[in-house]
Amino acid sequence: MLTAEDKKLILQVWEKIANQQDDCGREALERMFCVYPQTKTYFPHFDLNPGSDQVRSHGKKVVAALSNAVKNLDNLSQALSELSNLHAYNLRVDPVNFKLLSQCFQVVLAAHLGKDYTPEVHAAFDKFLSAVAAVLAEKYR
């Protein structure tokens, strides 16, 4: 459960990276494909080379979904319901991948924010991204 302080930190960080969000999405995907190559199986039609248009485009979609989640911190299930349905019923993505991408996104945030990525921010984003991953995986049950 996100506390009021967690929500405040998430909103503050999201504003700080507002002009870097697309880069963060792309970098998180690139990192995931490099560190967890098994995740590439869901993208057989993509050019998965770093900086490719397809990776950049999908990174924008990831960030758009996270932006929607940030705007709806009090109702993540409703905000991400359509995306959860898509991944569970159409794309059939292994829900473990949501956690892997969350970890990669945290590394990217830390790299972009530097000293502003405090232990408190890390903890808040860990809770937030875990909640997002859980919502995306809830239709699998």
Side-chain angles (χ1 to χ4, degrees), residues 30-79:
E30 289 173 352
R31 181 173 294 280
M32 182 181 72
F33 294 144
C34 179
V35 177
Y36 305 107
Q38 70 273 19
T39 61
K40 293 178 183 181
T41 62
Y42 296 97
F43 300 90
H45 54 291
F46 271 32
D47 171 6
L48 296 177
N49 291 308
S52 79
D53 288 341
Q54 291 169 314
V55 171
R56 188 176 309 118
S57 175
H58 197 68
K60 286 180 182 181
K61 290 178 184 178
V62 168
V63 169
L66 289 175
S67 291
N68 184 38
V70 168
K71 291 174 190 168
N72 294 282
L73 290 171
D74 292 321
N75 199 350
L76 291 175
S77 288
Q78 184 178 7

